[in-house]
Each structure stands twice: as C-alpha cells, then as structure tokens.
Amino acid sequence: MVIISSNQRKPLLLSTLFLVFCLIFFFWPLKMMNNNPLEPVASYTPLIQHPNLPDPNKPPAWQNTTRAKAAFVILTRNEELDALRRSIQQLEARFNHKFNYPYVFLNDVEFTPEFKELTSSLTNAETKYGLIPKEHWSYPAWIDIEKADRLRKKMGEDGVIYGGSLSYRHMCRFESGFFYRHPLMEEYEYYWRVEPGVEFYCDIDYDPFLYMKENNKKYGWTISLIEFEETIPTLWETTKKFIKEHSDMIPKKNLIDFISNDNGHSYNLCHFWSNFEIGDLKFLRSPEYSAFFDYLDKSGGFFYERWGDAPVHTIAVNLFLNKSQVHFFNDIGYKHEPFMHCPVVRELQKKCHCNAEDNFDLTPNSCLRRWIEIS
C-alpha cells in the first residue's frame, strides 16, 4: 500500500485541480457551442435546396436570360467616390458581372463628370445618375426649424451618434420615404441598396431579385441589431398611435413579436440594418407603408429626434408583413463598418473570403437569436 504524506498531498491536489480546470476550460466552449441557441443559423436554409448551391447538372443561373425589373440604388456624394468604387468592384466580381443589373446613383447635388466616368467604367451594366428634388432633402413646411435646430444641437452636445448632423437627418428621411419615388426608380419593381465602403465577401451564383419574386419575398436583410434608444425616444409611442388609428391596415398575422417582447406594448429596439436590404418596391409604394411614413413624417421625429430609416423600415416590415415574406440572406457575406455577416456553413464558406469567427450574428447586440426564436 502506497502512503502519501501530507507534504505530497498538497502538490498532488493542486495538480489534479489544475488538470480538471484545463479540461473544463477546453471542453466547456465546445459544450456551449453545441447548446448555442444560434446553432440553427447553420441550417437555417436546407442546403440541399439552397439557391446559392446550384445543381451541377444544370446550367448556371446567369445563363437564364430572365431578369427582374430591378436595380441597385445608391445614395452617395461625389467625395465618396473612392470608397464607392471599391464596393462596386466587389459587387461586380461577386455577382453582377454575371447578371448585369443596372445602377441608380442619387445625390442631393449634381454628380461630377469624374464621378460618372469612374463609376460607369467598373461595370458593363447601365448606370443612371439622378438629382434629389429639393423638397425631399429639406425641412418640410410643418417643422419648427428653430426647435429642430435647438434639439439637434443638444443631441450633438450629449454625444448621440449623428445627433448633431442635419444632413444625416435628411438622409434618414429620404431613405425612409422618398428614394423609391424618384423618377429614375419608377420603372423598377425591386431594389438592392448599396452604400459606399461596404464589402461583399461571397460569390452569389443565383439571382436574389428573381428569388424574391418567385418566392413572394417582400424584404431581405443580412444584419439585425439593437438601435440606439436615445435616437428614437418617441418612435414607438408614435407607432402605437398609428396602429390605434389605422387598425384596419394591420394584419393579424404579422411579425410584431420580432420587434416587441410584450405583444407590442414596448419596442425591443431590434431592427434590420438597412444599409443592406433587397426589397419589393410595391411594398414601399403600398397604401399601408405610405400612410405609415406620412404619419411619422408629420410627427416631426426625423428632425426633432433622429429617427433612422432602419427602425422605420423594420417597424413597417414587421407590422405589415408575415415571416414568409421576409428573407434572411444568410449566404451573402457583407460588411458595413463595424459589423459583418459571414456565412458559417462550410459549403457556403467555400464561396467566401470572410472569417466566420468575426460574424456579428454571434454577439449579444445581434437580433438574429430573436429572429430564430419566432420561427
């Protein structure tokens, strides 16, 4: 019988505890990964039917000459040319050199000849350049300008993100209620919003526009996150007033549980990050969305506060649509600083150059978990 002295027991005990700690430290993350509520992301769309994994026995999707009436729409400035060219170059390389959808560029001032030359040279697709009407990029008649200026200055002093910017407010209002009314957009049924400086990480070997059309999808997104509450202090109360006054417009089967944890009493701040969105323009032009935007616009919140187009689009989508009409583009690797969506499925990763470990979906501020919960 081996006898262990008291002097020997202490180091042996410490060694044993250290070994146990190492085993727990190593295996616990694996256990957490196996039990992670976000695991369904990996199988969100059955890969055997995934549109971005085409049947090798069929011709490539771009050989189908059918195209949707669709365009990329880009709100930008002349000084953003370099950042925008990088984004277009990636978008062309990853998708549009195969499908050749047109670009619509919009600006509140005239585009320079240099801007037009250096953007059109990046694509074989048609490029169009439009000037935003002054009434879509200025204070509307019902706004108290002195009040708006005072409140904007205070938000800037309080450090609210873009709180002191008037141009940012014009942008949010324009993206919320006017871009789809521009004359250059009238011929289109679908849009894909693109911004300067964004990145596209994955090959897209099918047509997302046709996918939306053929599957009755009205709105598509890649990133969803929590909004800054200080930018929208009265947005939800205004929305509830709209719901009360226009209850006939709100379908019983909608997505309010995505944006509210208590059946609409309060807003949980989840929103689709609208710097990437692919949408059905008929939805934005519908009587329901038009009434909602006009109601918000007349309240003054775009200027007295700093309502973003992302929560406005999101709330409208979740009030008026059901989940079958909204699509999470899990296969489109995308980054708008500082957040990135990167596919985690190995088959899709083969088409990408992003690191799935940097995926924003796995962070506490992502609302993807909420999206999965309401499935």
Side-chain angles (χ1 to χ4, degrees):
M1 179 178 178
V2 178
I3 299 176
I4 301 175
S5 69
S6 59
N7 290 335
Q8 292 173 308
R9 288 193 189 103
K10 189 172 182 180
L12 182 60
L13 179 61
L14 291 175
S15 298
T16 304
L17 289 174
F18 180 74
L19 178 61
V20 171
F21 172 79
C22 290
L23 290 172
I24 292 174
F25 184 81
F26 180 78
F27 286 109
W28 181 253
L30 299 180
K31 180 178 184 298
M32 291 301 289
M33 288 175 64
N34 291 334
N35 293 330
N36 195 325
L38 286 173
E39 188 178 8
V41 174
S43 57
Y44 188 80
T45 303
L47 293 186
I48 56 172
Q49 300 175 4
H50 200 288
N52 208 18
L53 297 175
D55 186 339
N57 298 316
K58 294 182 179 179
W62 53 89
Q63 291 185 7
N64 176 6
T65 57
T66 301
R67 296 290 182 267
K69 292 181 180 180
F72 303 104
V73 58
I74 305 175
L75 175 63
T76 186
R77 294 172 170 174
N78 290 304
E79 56 266 31
E80 295 174 311
L81 175 60
D82 289 342
L84 181 59
R85 291 177 69 201
R86 290 193 296 271
S87 299
I88 294 174
Q89 186 177 45
Q90 288 188 30
L91 186 55
E92 285 290 317
R94 290 301 197 175
F95 168 71
N96 203 46
H97 77 281
K98 296 169 284 192
F99 292 91
N100 226 39
Y101 276 102
Y103 291 82
V104 176
F105 300 90
L106 301 175
N107 195 350
D108 65 313
V109 301
E110 292 285 356
F111 284 108
T112 64
E114 179 190 33
F115 185 99
K116 295 178 180 179
E117 179 184 4
L118 293 181
T119 50
S120 62
S121 66
L122 293 171
T123 178
N124 291 322
E126 184 179 13
T127 54
K128 303 178 182 182
Y129 302 86
L131 180 65
I132 296 170
K134 185 177 180 180
E135 61 268 25
H136 294 172
W137 199 274
S138 58
Y139 283 125
W142 56 86
I143 293 296
D144 181 337
I145 297 178
E146 183 179 338
K147 175 183 176 181
D149 290 347
R150 183 178 69 253
L151 293 172
R152 184 177 69 253
K153 180 180 179 182
K154 184 177 188 308
M155 289 185 75
E157 292 171 348
D158 291 344
V160 176
I161 186 169
Y162 300 117
S165 173
L166 178 58
S167 64
Y168 193 86
R169 285 167 169 80
H170 287 316
M171 180 275 289
C172 291
R173 181 172 179 257
F174 177 78
E175 293 284 25
S176 295
F178 297 108
F179 83 88
Y180 51 89
R181 307 186 201 188
H182 194 281
L184 291 182
M185 295 297 295
E186 289 178 355
E187 66 180 282
Y188 301 114
E189 296 177 353
Y190 295 88
Y191 71 98
W192 180 334
R193 180 169 162 183
V194 179
E195 292 199 356
V198 300
E199 296 189 67
F200 296 94
Y201 291 114
C202 305
D203 290 336
I204 305 169
D205 292 328
Y206 69 107
D207 187 336
F209 293 122
L210 279 183
Y211 178 85
M212 298 277 288
K213 184 174 183 178
E214 292 170 354
N215 292 277
N216 193 33
K217 304 293 184 182
K218 305 295 184 183
Y219 189 84
W221 58 281
T222 58
I223 294 174
S224 181
L225 68 162
I226 301 297
E227 179 60 300
F228 293 102
E229 189 170 8
E230 60 269 28
T231 66
I232 54 166
T234 67
L235 176 58
W236 190 246
E237 289 304 314
T238 307
T239 297
K240 289 200 294 184
K241 291 177 183 176
F242 172 84
I243 294 172
K244 185 177 181 180
E245 295 177 24
H246 299 84
S247 58
D248 57 312
M249 290 186 171
I250 313 300
K252 292 182 179 178
K253 187 178 181 182
N254 60 17
L255 273 166
I256 198 167
D257 285 342
F258 176 66
I259 55 174
S260 177
N261 301 338
D262 50 19
N263 198 32
H265 178 70
S266 64
Y267 178 32
N268 63 16
L269 303 178
C270 281
H271 67 283
F272 304 126
W273 218 22
S274 58
N275 47 70
F276 172 99
E277 55 185 14
I278 301 176
D280 185 337
L281 286 163
K282 292 190 295 293
F283 169 66
L284 294 179
R285 294 165 179 155
S286 68
E288 293 81 5
Y289 185 86
S290 297
F292 180 60
F293 169 74
D294 290 343
Y295 193 92
L296 297 183
D297 199 25
K298 289 292 176 60
S299 77
F302 288 106
F303 296 102
Y304 299 145
E305 298 178 12
R306 205 235 66 192
W307 294 355
D309 57 279
V312 170
H313 282 193
T314 300
I315 291 172
V317 165
N318 287 272
L319 286 184
F320 302 125
L321 301 180
N322 61 60
K323 193 165 186 182
S324 70
Q325 297 172 302
V326 182
H327 184 64
F328 169 42
F329 279 102
N330 189 22
D331 55 305
I332 297 181
Y334 171 79
K335 184 175 185 179
H336 182 297
E337 286 289 354
F339 306 126
M340 177 187 71
H341 168 72
C342 183
V344 298
V345 184
R346 182 54 58 88
E347 289 89 340
L348 295 176
Q349 262 285 318
K350 292 177 182 178
K351 293 175 173 285
C352 307
H353 71 274
C354 53
N355 184 352
E357 293 181 359
D358 296 330
N359 195 356
F360 178 73
D361 301 342
L362 305 177
T363 67
N365 287 328
S366 170
C367 290
L368 181 59
R369 181 178 281 105
R370 183 68 181 173
W371 178 257
I372 294 169
E373 288 173 352
I374 65 168
S375 298

